[in-house]
């Protein structure tokens, strides 16, 4: 009888231990189950700042003569742009670069030597303005300066957005909301309940030209050549489920 009672006690102990261990495993197992989702946000916007670079040169065998010509050209350039409606405070003239020019001279025996030709002086101009459309239009007419005797070389304008920090915060919020909606949809269809957020990682913030085929890169694209842009950002969230 005593032996039979001991057997019953041992059996009950095994059953109780199994229940405790089973419950512990279940709690641990559920706690480790997660859902990982990626949210995306995109926003079209128009640049509100334009930066346009150009330069002009003067050549002479004398730096004094070349510099005098460059000063005259600077006045012509400034007067021309002011007449087009560009403010003087929007124009920044750089310091003057001086380069010595040489040419190779060959003798009848095939030997060569360098011969001094003169100097080339170059000055750059940067125009920065929030009147994007106006400066964009003027940049297409910069060839008029050539007719005024200035050897002006114009670059394509660059376009920027001064409220990028605010836009980025807004987009991160939208991307996070998108990721959570995706996670809730997955959990619902899997007959589970979405738990607390375990981890959040921000992806690459990119700016591309609108309706373009620009490729996304690991380091991120930051387009400055287009006035109309599209910003995008991803957020990766990891939720527990129960």
């Amino acid at each position: 009888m005593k032996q039979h009672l001991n057997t019953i006690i041992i059996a009950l102990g095994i059953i109780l231990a199994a229940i405790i261990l089973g419950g512990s495993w279940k709690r641990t197992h559920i706690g480790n189950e997660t859902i990982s989702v990626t949210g995306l946000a995109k926003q079209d916007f128009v640049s509100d700042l334009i930066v346009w670079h150009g330069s002009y040169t003067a050549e002479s065998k004398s730096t004094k003569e070349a510099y005098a010509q460059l000063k005259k050209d600077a006045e012509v350039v400034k007067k021309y742009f002011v007449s087009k409606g560009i403010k003087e405070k929007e124009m920044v003239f750089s310091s003057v670069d001086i380069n010595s020019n040489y040419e190779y001279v060959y003798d009848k025996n095939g030997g060569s030597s360098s011969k001094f030709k003169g100097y080339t002086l170059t000055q750059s101009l940067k125009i920065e303005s929030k009147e994007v459309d106006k400066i964009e239009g003027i940049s297409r007419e910069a060839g008029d300066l050539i007719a005024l005797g200035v050897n002006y070389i114009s670059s394509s304008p660059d376009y920027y957005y001064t409220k990028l920090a605010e836009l980025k915060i807004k987009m991160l919020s939208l991307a996070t909301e998108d990721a959570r909606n995706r996670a809730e949809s997955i959990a619902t269809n899997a007959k589970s309940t979405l738990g607390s957020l375990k981890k959040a990682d921000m992806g690459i913030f990119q700016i591309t030209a609108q309706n373009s085929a620009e490729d996304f890169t690991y380091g991120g694209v930051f387009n400055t050549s287009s006035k109309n842009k599209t910003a995008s950002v991803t957020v990766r969230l990891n939720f527990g489920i129960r």
Side-chain angles (χ1 to χ4, degrees):
M1 179 68 180
K2 185 177 181 180
Q3 184 178 359
H4 182 65
L5 181 62
N6 288 338
T7 301
I8 293 174
I9 292 173
I10 293 172
L12 289 173
I14 293 173
I15 293 171
L16 181 61
I19 292 172
I20 294 172
L21 290 174
S24 176
W25 177 88
K26 185 177 180 181
R27 288 192 299 273
T28 304
H29 182 66
I30 292 175
N32 287 335
E33 289 183 336
T34 60
I35 294 177
S36 294
V37 291
T38 299
L40 171 66
K42 285 189 174 186
Q43 180 71 54
D44 291 337
F45 64 96
V46 180
S47 303
D48 62 358
L49 179 69
I50 187 170
V51 179
W52 178 35
H53 294 270
S55 63
Y56 46 95
T57 60
E59 296 183 358
S60 176
K61 288 190 175 181
S62 163
T63 53
K64 183 178 180 179
E65 291 178 359
Y67 184 68
Q69 182 60 51
L70 207 66
K71 285 190 68 176
K72 290 180 182 179
D73 290 346
E75 289 302 317
V76 172
V77 169
K78 182 187 291 186
K79 184 178 179 181
Y80 172 79
F81 285 133
V82 168
S83 72
K84 292 291 185 178
I86 298 177
K87 304 175 183 66
E88 286 194 36
K89 66 179 181 179
E90 296 174 329
M91 293 184 277
V92 178
F93 290 85
S94 72
S95 58
V96 177
D97 291 329
I98 302 175
N99 289 309
S100 300
N101 302 321
Y102 296 88
E103 67 176 344
Y104 285 103
V105 178
Y106 296 89
D107 58 32
K108 61 182 180 180
N109 297 319
S112 65
S113 60
S114 60
K115 180 182 177 181
F116 177 71
K117 288 184 62 179
Y119 298 96
T120 297
L121 273 61
T122 304
Q123 188 168 37
S124 299
L125 170 63
K126 182 178 80 169
I127 296 174
E128 184 173 318
S129 174
K130 290 190 174 182
E131 296 183 277
V132 177
D133 292 336
K134 183 176 76 174
I135 302 302
E136 185 179 50
I138 295 172
S139 71
R140 299 191 183 105
E141 303 170 353
D144 293 348
L145 282 165
I146 297 176
L148 297 176
V150 180
N151 184 23
Y152 194 83
I153 300 174
S154 171
S155 300
S156 298
D158 292 317
Y159 301 89
Y160 299 92
Y161 189 58
T162 59
K163 300 175 183 178
L164 201 58
E166 295 93 325
L167 177 64
K168 192 173 183 179
I169 291 172
K170 175 185 175 182
M171 292 181 62
L172 282 171
S173 176
L174 292 173
T176 301
E177 182 181 357
D178 180 56
R180 184 173 186 88
N181 289 338
R182 291 170 187 260
E184 288 177 343
S185 177
I186 293 172
T188 299
N189 288 308
K191 309 300 181 185
S192 298
T193 302
L194 198 65
S196 60
L197 180 65
K198 301 289 187 181
K199 185 179 180 183
D201 293 304
M202 174 183 161
I204 300 297
F205 183 75
Q206 314 231 42
I207 296 177
T208 59
Q210 282 184 26
N211 305 314
S212 72
E214 284 184 277
D215 292 330
F216 291 92
T217 64
Y218 179 77
V221 175
F222 192 90
N223 177 285
T224 60
S225 61
S226 300
K227 179 171 64 176
N228 300 312
K229 307 179 191 292
T230 299
S232 63
V233 67
T234 58
V235 172
R236 187 170 182 81
L237 303 182
N238 188 286
F239 293 94
I241 59 172
R242 56 182 186 270

Short mmCIF file of all heavy atoms in Angstrom, two decimals, residues 42-78:
data_model
loop_
_atom_site.label_atom_id
_atom_site.label_comp_id
_atom_site.label_asym_id
_atom_site.label_seq_id
_atom_site.Cartn_x
_atom_site.Cartn_y
_atom_site.Cartn_z
N LYS A 42 6.51 58.47 -49.35
CA LYS A 42 7.01 59.26 -50.47
C LYS A 42 6.30 60.61 -50.48
O LYS A 42 5.13 60.71 -50.14
CB LYS A 42 6.76 58.54 -51.81
CG LYS A 42 7.70 57.38 -52.08
CD LYS A 42 7.53 56.87 -53.51
CE LYS A 42 8.57 55.81 -53.84
NZ LYS A 42 8.49 55.41 -55.26
N GLN A 43 7.04 61.63 -50.90
CA GLN A 43 6.47 62.97 -50.94
C GLN A 43 7.06 63.77 -52.10
O GLN A 43 8.28 63.91 -52.20
CB GLN A 43 6.74 63.71 -49.63
CG GLN A 43 6.20 65.12 -49.57
CD GLN A 43 4.69 65.15 -49.48
OE1 GLN A 43 4.11 64.53 -48.60
NE2 GLN A 43 4.05 65.88 -50.37
N ASP A 44 6.21 64.28 -52.98
CA ASP A 44 6.66 65.17 -54.04
C ASP A 44 6.75 66.59 -53.50
O ASP A 44 5.93 67.01 -52.68
CB ASP A 44 5.68 65.16 -55.23
CG ASP A 44 5.68 63.83 -55.97
OD1 ASP A 44 6.68 63.09 -55.88
OD2 ASP A 44 4.68 63.53 -56.65
N PHE A 45 7.75 67.33 -53.96
CA PHE A 45 7.87 68.73 -53.54
C PHE A 45 8.63 69.52 -54.61
O PHE A 45 9.26 68.95 -55.50
CB PHE A 45 8.57 68.85 -52.18
CG PHE A 45 9.99 68.38 -52.17
CD1 PHE A 45 11.05 69.27 -52.31
CD2 PHE A 45 10.30 67.04 -51.99
CE1 PHE A 45 12.36 68.84 -52.29
CE2 PHE A 45 11.61 66.60 -51.97
CZ PHE A 45 12.65 67.50 -52.13
N VAL A 46 8.54 70.83 -54.51
CA VAL A 46 9.20 71.73 -55.47
C VAL A 46 10.30 72.49 -54.75
O VAL A 46 10.09 73.03 -53.65
CB VAL A 46 8.19 72.71 -56.09
CG1 VAL A 46 8.90 73.63 -57.09
CG2 VAL A 46 7.07 71.95 -56.79
N SER A 47 11.48 72.55 -55.33
CA SER A 47 12.61 73.25 -54.72
C SER A 47 12.28 74.73 -54.51
O SER A 47 11.60 75.35 -55.33
CB SER A 47 13.85 73.13 -55.61
OG SER A 47 14.17 71.78 -55.85
N ASP A 48 12.77 75.28 -53.40
CA ASP A 48 12.52 76.70 -53.12
C ASP A 48 13.81 77.52 -53.06
O ASP A 48 13.80 78.67 -52.63
CB ASP A 48 11.74 76.85 -51.82
CG ASP A 48 12.50 76.31 -50.61
OD1 ASP A 48 13.62 75.78 -50.78
OD2 ASP A 48 11.97 76.40 -49.47
N LEU A 49 14.91 76.92 -53.51
CA LEU A 49 16.19 77.65 -53.55
C LEU A 49 16.98 77.20 -54.77
O LEU A 49 17.09 76.00 -55.04
CB LEU A 49 17.00 77.36 -52.27
CG LEU A 49 18.38 78.05 -52.18
CD1 LEU A 49 18.22 79.56 -52.02
CD2 LEU A 49 19.20 77.48 -51.04
N ILE A 50 17.52 78.16 -55.51
CA ILE A 50 18.30 77.86 -56.70
C ILE A 50 19.70 78.43 -56.54
O ILE A 50 19.88 79.53 -56.01
CB ILE A 50 17.63 78.42 -57.98
CG1 ILE A 50 18.36 77.96 -59.24
CG2 ILE A 50 17.51 79.93 -57.93
CD1 ILE A 50 17.63 78.27 -60.53
N VAL A 51 20.70 77.67 -56.94
CA VAL A 51 22.10 78.11 -56.91
C VAL A 51 22.67 77.93 -58.32
O VAL A 51 22.66 76.81 -58.85
CB VAL A 51 22.93 77.31 -55.88
CG1 VAL A 51 24.39 77.79 -55.91
CG2 VAL A 51 22.35 77.46 -54.49
N TRP A 52 23.16 79.03 -58.88
CA TRP A 52 23.62 79.01 -60.27
C TRP A 52 25.05 79.54 -60.33
O TRP A 52 25.35 80.61 -59.82
CB TRP A 52 22.68 79.86 -61.12
CG TRP A 52 23.05 79.98 -62.57
CD1 TRP A 52 23.64 79.04 -63.35
CD2 TRP A 52 22.86 81.13 -63.39
NE1 TRP A 52 23.83 79.52 -64.62
CE2 TRP A 52 23.35 80.80 -64.68
CE3 TRP A 52 22.33 82.40 -63.18
CZ2 TRP A 52 23.33 81.71 -65.74
CZ3 TRP A 52 22.30 83.30 -64.24
CH2 TRP A 52 22.79 82.95 -65.51
N HIS A 53 25.92 78.77 -60.96
CA HIS A 53 27.33 79.13 -61.07
C HIS A 53 27.68 79.49 -62.51
O HIS A 53 27.17 78.89 -63.46
CB HIS A 53 28.23 77.98 -60.62
CG HIS A 53 28.12 77.66 -59.16
ND1 HIS A 53 28.90 78.26 -58.21
CD2 HIS A 53 27.30 76.80 -58.49
CE1 HIS A 53 28.58 77.78 -57.02
NE2 HIS A 53 27.60 76.90 -57.17
N GLY A 54 28.57 80.45 -62.65
CA GLY A 54 29.10 80.82 -63.96
C GLY A 54 30.50 81.38 -63.80
O GLY A 54 30.96 81.62 -62.67
N SER A 55 31.20 81.56 -64.89
CA SER A 55 32.56 82.12 -64.82
C SER A 55 32.88 82.83 -66.13
O SER A 55 32.25 82.60 -67.16
CB SER A 55 33.59 81.02 -64.55
OG SER A 55 33.62 80.09 -65.62
N TYR A 56 33.89 83.69 -66.09
CA TYR A 56 34.34 84.41 -67.28
C TYR A 56 35.85 84.58 -67.19
O TYR A 56 36.45 84.57 -66.10
CB TYR A 56 33.63 85.76 -67.43
CG TYR A 56 33.58 86.57 -66.15
CD1 TYR A 56 34.53 87.54 -65.88
CD2 TYR A 56 32.58 86.33 -65.21
CE1 TYR A 56 34.50 88.26 -64.70
CE2 TYR A 56 32.52 87.05 -64.04
CZ TYR A 56 33.49 88.02 -63.79
OH TYR A 56 33.46 88.73 -62.63
N THR A 57 36.49 84.71 -68.33
CA THR A 57 37.95 84.73 -68.39
C THR A 57 38.46 85.90 -69.22
O THR A 57 37.73 86.48 -70.04
CB THR A 57 38.49 83.43 -69.01
OG1 THR A 57 37.98 83.30 -70.35
CG2 THR A 57 38.08 82.22 -68.20
N ALA A 58 39.72 86.23 -68.99
CA ALA A 58 40.43 87.24 -69.79
C ALA A 58 41.86 86.74 -69.99
O ALA A 58 42.46 86.18 -69.07
CB ALA A 58 40.42 88.59 -69.09
N GLU A 59 42.40 86.94 -71.17
CA GLU A 59 43.75 86.47 -71.49
C GLU A 59 44.62 87.63 -71.97
O GLU A 59 44.16 88.52 -72.69
CB GLU A 59 43.70 85.39 -72.58
CG GLU A 59 43.00 84.12 -72.15
CD GLU A 59 43.03 83.06 -73.24
OE1 GLU A 59 43.57 83.34 -74.33
OE2 GLU A 59 42.51 81.96 -73.00
N SER A 60 45.88 87.59 -71.55
CA SER A 60 46.85 88.60 -71.98
C SER A 60 48.25 88.13 -71.59
O SER A 60 48.41 87.26 -70.72
CB SER A 60 46.55 89.95 -71.34
OG SER A 60 47.55 90.90 -71.69
N LYS A 61 49.26 88.71 -72.21
CA LYS A 61 50.64 88.40 -71.83
C LYS A 61 51.04 89.14 -70.57
O LYS A 61 52.10 88.88 -69.98
CB LYS A 61 51.59 88.74 -72.97
CG LYS A 61 51.48 87.77 -74.14
CD LYS A 61 52.60 87.99 -75.15
CE LYS A 61 52.53 86.94 -76.25
NZ LYS A 61 53.62 87.09 -77.24
N SER A 62 50.17 90.04 -70.14
CA SER A 62 50.41 90.80 -68.92
C SER A 62 49.27 90.56 -67.95
O SER A 62 48.09 90.68 -68.32
CB SER A 62 50.52 92.30 -69.24
OG SER A 62 50.36 93.09 -68.08
N THR A 63 49.58 90.23 -66.70
CA THR A 63 48.53 90.02 -65.70
C THR A 63 47.77 91.32 -65.44
O THR A 63 46.56 91.30 -65.17
CB THR A 63 49.12 89.51 -64.38
OG1 THR A 63 50.17 90.39 -63.95
CG2 THR A 63 49.67 88.10 -64.54
N LYS A 64 48.48 92.45 -65.55
CA LYS A 64 47.84 93.74 -65.33
C LYS A 64 46.76 93.99 -66.37
O LYS A 64 45.65 94.43 -66.04
CB LYS A 64 48.89 94.84 -65.37
CG LYS A 64 48.34 96.23 -65.07
CD LYS A 64 49.45 97.27 -65.08
CE LYS A 64 48.88 98.67 -64.79
NZ LYS A 64 49.96 99.70 -64.77
N GLU A 65 47.08 93.73 -67.63
CA GLU A 65 46.11 93.93 -68.70
C GLU A 65 44.94 92.95 -68.59
O GLU A 65 43.78 93.33 -68.79
CB GLU A 65 46.79 93.77 -70.06
CG GLU A 65 47.78 94.87 -70.39
CD GLU A 65 48.47 94.64 -71.73
OE1 GLU A 65 48.16 93.61 -72.39
OE2 GLU A 65 49.31 95.47 -72.12
N ALA A 66 45.27 91.71 -68.27
CA ALA A 66 44.21 90.70 -68.14
C ALA A 66 43.29 91.04 -66.98
O ALA A 66 42.06 90.89 -67.09
CB ALA A 66 44.83 89.32 -67.94
N TYR A 67 43.85 91.52 -65.88
CA TYR A 67 43.03 91.86 -64.73
C TYR A 67 42.14 93.07 -65.01
O TYR A 67 40.98 93.12 -64.58
CB TYR A 67 43.92 92.15 -63.52
CG TYR A 67 43.14 92.42 -62.25
CD1 TYR A 67 42.41 91.41 -61.63
CD2 TYR A 67 43.12 93.69 -61.69
CE1 TYR A 67 41.67 91.65 -60.49
CE2 TYR A 67 42.39 93.95 -60.53
CZ TYR A 67 41.67 92.92 -59.95
OH TYR A 67 40.94 93.16 -58.81
N ALA A 68 42.69 94.05 -65.74
CA ALA A 68 41.90 95.22 -66.11
C ALA A 68 40.69 94.81 -66.96
O ALA A 68 39.57 95.31 -66.77
CB ALA A 68 42.77 96.23 -66.86
N GLN A 69 40.93 93.86 -67.88
CA GLN A 69 39.82 93.37 -68.71
C GLN A 69 38.80 92.61 -67.87
O GLN A 69 37.59 92.73 -68.08
CB GLN A 69 40.37 92.46 -69.81
CG GLN A 69 39.32 91.92 -70.77
CD GLN A 69 38.57 93.02 -71.50
OE1 GLN A 69 39.19 93.92 -72.09
NE2 GLN A 69 37.25 92.96 -71.47
N LEU A 70 39.30 91.84 -66.91
CA LEU A 70 38.41 91.05 -66.05
C LEU A 70 37.51 91.97 -65.22
O LEU A 70 36.33 91.67 -65.01
CB LEU A 70 39.23 90.13 -65.16
CG LEU A 70 38.54 88.84 -64.69
CD1 LEU A 70 38.27 87.92 -65.87
CD2 LEU A 70 39.39 88.11 -63.66
N LYS A 71 38.07 93.08 -64.75
CA LYS A 71 37.28 94.03 -63.96
C LYS A 71 36.17 94.64 -64.82
O LYS A 71 35.03 94.84 -64.35
CB LYS A 71 38.17 95.13 -63.41
CG LYS A 71 39.03 94.69 -62.22
CD LYS A 71 39.72 95.87 -61.56
CE LYS A 71 38.73 96.77 -60.88
NZ LYS A 71 39.40 97.89 -60.14
N LYS A 72 36.50 94.96 -66.07
CA LYS A 72 35.49 95.50 -66.98
C LYS A 72 34.38 94.46 -67.22
O LYS A 72 33.20 94.80 -67.22
CB LYS A 72 36.13 95.88 -68.31
CG LYS A 72 37.05 97.10 -68.24
CD LYS A 72 37.63 97.39 -69.62
CE LYS A 72 38.59 98.58 -69.55
NZ LYS A 72 39.19 98.86 -70.88
N ASP A 73 34.79 93.21 -67.41
CA ASP A 73 33.81 92.14 -67.63
C ASP A 73 32.91 91.96 -66.42
O ASP A 73 31.70 91.71 -66.55
CB ASP A 73 34.53 90.82 -67.94
CG ASP A 73 35.20 90.83 -69.31
OD1 ASP A 73 34.89 91.73 -70.11
OD2 ASP A 73 36.01 89.92 -69.57
N ALA A 74 33.49 92.09 -65.21
CA ALA A 74 32.70 91.94 -63.98
C ALA A 74 31.61 92.99 -63.90
O ALA A 74 30.47 92.70 -63.50
CB ALA A 74 33.61 92.02 -62.76
N GLU A 75 31.94 94.21 -64.31
CA GLU A 75 30.94 95.28 -64.31
C GLU A 75 29.84 95.02 -65.32
O GLU A 75 28.65 95.27 -65.06
CB GLU A 75 31.62 96.62 -64.59
CG GLU A 75 32.48 97.14 -63.45
CD GLU A 75 31.69 97.30 -62.16
OE1 GLU A 75 30.55 97.81 -62.21
OE2 GLU A 75 32.20 96.89 -61.11
N VAL A 76 30.22 94.51 -66.49
CA VAL A 76 29.24 94.17 -67.52
C VAL A 76 28.31 93.07 -67.02
O VAL A 76 27.08 93.15 -67.18
CB VAL A 76 29.93 93.74 -68.83
CG1 VAL A 76 28.89 93.21 -69.84
CG2 VAL A 76 30.71 94.89 -69.44
N VAL A 77 28.88 92.05 -66.40
CA VAL A 77 28.11 90.92 -65.88
C VAL A 77 27.14 91.38 -64.80
O VAL A 77 25.95 91.04 -64.82
CB VAL A 77 29.06 89.82 -65.32
CG1 VAL A 77 28.26 88.77 -64.55
CG2 VAL A 77 29.83 89.17 -66.46
N LYS A 78 27.65 92.18 -63.86
CA LYS A 78 26.80 92.66 -62.77
C LYS A 78 25.65 93.52 -63.30
O LYS A 78 24.49 93.35 -62.91
CB LYS A 78 27.63 93.46 -61.77
CG LYS A 78 26.82 93.96 -60.58
CD LYS A 78 27.63 94.89 -59.69
CE LYS A 78 28.72 94.15 -58.97
NZ LYS A 78 29.42 95.03 -58.00
#
